[in-house]
Amino acid sequence: MKLNGGEKNNMNPDQINQLFQVQRNNRYQVRRSSAAHRIEKLKKMKGLILKKKSKIEAALTADFGKSPVETELTEIMPVISMINYTCKHLKKWMKPHKVSGGPLFFGTKCMVSYESKGNVLVISPWNYPFQLAMYPLLTAYSAGNTVILKPSEFTPETNKILIELLGEVFTTDEVAVVEGEVEASQALLDLAFDHIFFTGSTPVGKIVMEKASKHLAGVSLELGGKSPAIIAKDFDLKVAAQRIVWGKFVNSGQTCVAPDYVLVEKSREEELVKLIVENIKLFYNEQFEMNQDYCQIITPRHAKRLQELIADSKSRGAKIVFGGHLFGNNKHEPTIIQNLDFNHKIMQEEIFGPLLPIIAVDSNKDMVKIINDMDNPLAMYLFTNSKEVLEYFQANTTSGGFSVNETLLHVGHSGLIFGGAGKSGIGRYHGFEGFAELSNQRSVLIRKFDTKMSYFYPPYTDKKKKIIDFLIEKFHYLF
Ligand code: NAD
């Protein structure tokens, strides 16, 4: 069975169930595939992605006006480097990892065997529709699982190219795509997958976890949150402003790890705002409406939500120092907001768009308090050259990622784990941890020769007790 590129893969619940059964019947065949076989498929996918790069770029432009360069940087490159990294290490990852033990294990071989979980469901969001579908899907396949992908309903053109590429590399009993709206997701979530890898919002993540509990499926939840950018006293504002503007306005702020708000010392607030505005103008030449480097908000409904956040803050006394406008239905101007309070909606939910609140504070202690009064963020960006300041923030806060003097870059490293903490997510992927996350980590013990352990079986005589007492005293441990 092959995936049919170009046609919509909408299915009713019966068809979805049939597809699931087909993959269920094939799960041990995929598990038994060798590292070489999986690598061959990954390399084929890489070749196709490179060959059809322009088509992928055009699809994202059609879906939400994303610039081809941004697609190359933030969608294609991470997937290609993930494939390279996995191909380099997969053989080693798939080998059992030996574990040594105490005297009791003399004569045995103990190891952790990384075996596939079986059938994996990947649910992906619209904001990086190529990367966030391909990355977990290829990770799950590399770990020997069959995969059904449910991409976002808001990116139909990207879904078409995903179906085309996947159809050229996999059969549907290995990897399949089910398109559709929330109903399709719900029908999939009713099935007994072994693992659900979900990327999306925290409220939907909770629904996914509840559904997974019915079958006790494993879950990886890659969610969002309010990721702060913190500028310490010692750091050059010019450099920080430039890096924050890039991290915030790439993909028009629709990035799970985008700096959500900035914390800066009161005395440096005005200088920072000036530099941020300068950088926005430099990057986008103040031509936001027609600027092809600056993408749209995914739907008019999402754009309206951003306008409502601005209106709420304005009505409570916030100052819009730059931007604030919506052009047409879905091109939103980069917007800088000051004088905010924590009861404004914009400070209570993930912004997920090009609005940047600047919060002025008195001390590092105040910054930590603000961060810790909110849910754990997915990422934290600290700008400092001071070791003490770095240690202070790292020791007193919790987040999925912690990036110093940079924004977003940590996500691009194929070997550096990625995931949230608390409400920003459960589970990790990227690199070996991604492979491990989607594997059944099976403990294996093999007795190689008999050490007469059976001597200690009941009845527990005094003599046996004395020997065990001696062993514990002599070795302090037996295991
Ligand atoms: P979303 O939660 O609305 O949708 C994600 C997926 O879930 C889509 O495929 C959608 O069809 C499906 N879905 C929506 N409602 C559902 C329901 N009731 N039941 C079952 N499935 C449902 O998220 P989104 O708007 O596509 O993406 C934005 C969110 O994703 C933001 O919060 C962002 O921070 C987060 N995100 C996180 C990461 C990460 O890696 N941690 C990456 C990108 C986006």
Side-chain angles (χ1 to χ4, degrees):
M1 224 194 309
K2 297 283 287 176
L3 272 174
N4 197 356
E7 281 186 22
K8 266 194 161 280
N9 275 46
N10 284 331
M11 295 180 193
N12 64 39
D14 284 343
Q15 291 168 316
I16 290 175
N17 190 22
Q18 269 172 28
L19 174 67
F20 174 73
Q21 292 308 332
V22 167
Q23 290 205 344
R24 190 118 195 104
N25 294 337
N26 194 39
R27 68 192 192 282
Y28 283 104
Q29 186 147 335
V30 178
R31 174 193 284 191
R32 288 192 302 270
S33 61
S34 64
H37 181 77
R38 296 180 202 174
I39 288 169
E40 192 189 311
K41 294 231 179 203
L42 291 177
K43 286 191 173 159
K44 187 168 176 198
M45 178 57 79
K46 175 176 149 181
L48 280 172
I49 293 173
L50 293 175
K51 189 170 145 207
K52 302 196 178 190
K53 199 163 67 64
S54 318
K55 212 170 163 181
I56 300 168
E57 289 160 17
L60 277 98
T61 304
D63 279 334
F64 61 116
K66 184 152 171 163
S67 106
V69 176
E70 224 162 83
T71 295
E72 283 187 304
L73 276 175
T74 65
E75 308 262 1
I76 294 173
M77 259 171 51
V79 175
I80 295 293
S81 59
M82 174 268 170
I83 293 177
N84 290 342
Y85 193 84
T86 306
C87 290
K88 192 167 161 208
H89 298 282
L90 189 62
K91 210 168 155 201
K92 187 176 79 208
W93 294 346
M94 282 173 68
K95 283 198 178 133
H97 297 202
K98 276 195 199 153
V99 182
S100 58
L104 196 69
F105 297 96
F106 187 61
T108 70
K109 187 173 164 191
C110 297
M111 57 206 156
V112 178
S113 178
Y114 291 86
E115 300 172 2
S116 66
K117 287 200 162 196
N119 303 104
V120 172
L121 170 63
V122 172
I123 302 180
S124 59
W126 50 263
N127 65 327
Y128 287 85
F130 185 77
Q131 190 211 143
L132 296 176
M134 276 290 186
Y135 210 126
L137 181 154
L138 295 178
T139 305
Y141 173 75
S142 304
N145 299 288
T146 69
V147 191
I148 292 181
L149 167 71
K150 155 64 185 82
S152 171
E153 58 274 37
F154 297 127
T155 51
E157 293 305 315
T158 309
N159 297 353
K160 259 188 221 165
I161 184 82
L162 281 169
I163 291 170
E164 183 178 323
L165 292 168
L166 293 167
E168 288 191 43
V169 179
F170 301 103
T171 49
T172 42
D173 55 3
E174 295 168 331
V175 172
V177 182
V178 173
E179 289 190 85
E181 312 221 344
V182 174
E183 297 71 35
S185 255
Q186 285 165 345
L188 285 161
L189 288 169
D190 283 334
L191 301 170
F193 281 95
D194 298 293
H195 193 96
I196 302 167
F197 193 104
F198 170 80
T199 307
S201 60
T202 303
V204 179
K206 287 182 186 172
I207 297 174
V208 169
M209 195 155 173
E210 206 178 315
K211 289 271 197 179
S213 71
K214 199 172 154 218
H215 302 287
L216 288 180
V219 285
S220 307
L221 303 177
E222 301 291 337
L223 311 175
K226 289 186 86 62
S227 301
I230 306 142
I231 309 176
K233 262 194 212 134
D234 65 284
F235 201 83
D236 183 354
L237 280 182
K238 255 193 203 156
V239 177
Q242 192 193 40
R243 292 178 191 168
I244 290 170
V245 167
W246 181 73
K248 178 70 187 187
F249 298 105
V250 72
N251 222 38
S252 282
Q254 303 166 108
T255 304
C256 55
V257 283
D260 190 276
Y261 61 98
V262 182
L263 294 170
V264 66
E265 231 192 307
K266 271 191 186 132
S267 61
R268 305 213 294 166
E269 182 186 12
E270 292 313 320
E271 177 65 8
L272 175 70
V273 169
K274 189 177 126 255
L275 289 165
I276 286 179
V277 171
E278 264 175 36
N279 274 288
I280 293 173
K281 290 180 178 169
L282 210 67
F283 280 16
Y284 303 109
N285 202 19
E286 286 192 76
Q287 292 299 317
F288 306 109
E289 189 175 3
M290 306 311 282
N291 194 325
Q292 298 190 352
D293 290 344
Y294 185 67
C295 75
Q296 298 157 6
I297 303 303
I298 189 75
T299 71
R301 175 170 65 79
H302 289 78
K304 195 166 159 255
R305 184 186 70 87
L306 297 170
Q307 285 284 288
E308 284 165 6
L309 289 181
I310 295 176
D312 173 74
S313 286
K314 251 171 134 176
S315 71
R316 296 165 189 245
K319 196 166 109 197
I320 312 300
V321 274
F322 185 81
H325 303 108
L326 180 64
F327 303 107
N329 281 333
N330 52 12
K331 204 91 192 238
H332 203 294
E333 211 174 6
T335 300
I336 309 300
I337 312 179
Q338 281 176 284
N339 288 357
L340 283 152
D341 218 310
F342 290 93
N343 58 11
H344 295 187
K345 267 195 201 155
I346 200 169
M347 291 313 295
Q348 292 183 337
E349 56 187 76
E350 180 185 8
I351 297 171
F352 217 58
L355 322 180
L356 184 62
I358 311 291
I359 313 282
V361 292
D362 288 319
S363 65
N364 289 350
K365 200 170 155 211
D366 290 349
M367 293 187 186
V368 163
K369 179 161 179 354
I370 288 170
I371 296 163
N372 289 343
D373 280 349
M374 298 189 207
D375 294 328
N376 293 333
L378 184 57
M380 191 180 296
Y381 303 107
L382 172 65
F383 291 87
T384 186
N385 289 316
S386 153
K387 192 165 166 273
E388 288 74 38
V389 174
L390 192 161
E391 284 171 1
Y392 174 74
F393 277 94
Q394 193 167 359
N396 290 292
T397 60
T398 303
S399 62
F402 182 60
S403 191
V404 180
N405 304 339
E406 257 309 341
T407 58
L408 311 194
L409 201 60
H410 65 292
V411 185
H413 193 306
S414 318
L416 196 57
I417 53 168
F418 179 68
K423 294 214 176 93
S424 57
I426 294 174
R428 292 283 177 273
Y429 75 132
H430 290 202
F432 172 71
E433 281 74 10
F435 170 84
E437 173 100 354
L438 289 150
S439 298
N440 175 40
Q441 302 179 41
R442 199 182 211 178
S443 54
V444 179
L445 180 148
I446 302 168
R447 176 155 297 287
K448 302 295 270 188
F449 56 86
D450 193 2
T451 49
K452 299 291 177 222
M453 274 293 300
S454 52
Y455 173 78
F456 294 104
Y457 295 169
Y460 300 128
T461 58
D462 284 351
K463 191 173 168 199
K464 288 179 188 174
K465 182 164 188 333
K466 270 188 193 144
I467 296 174
I468 291 174
D469 286 347
F470 168 78
L471 288 172
I472 290 177
E473 271 164 35
K474 175 101 180 124
F475 295 107
H476 295 249
Y477 70 106
L478 290 177
F479 297 96

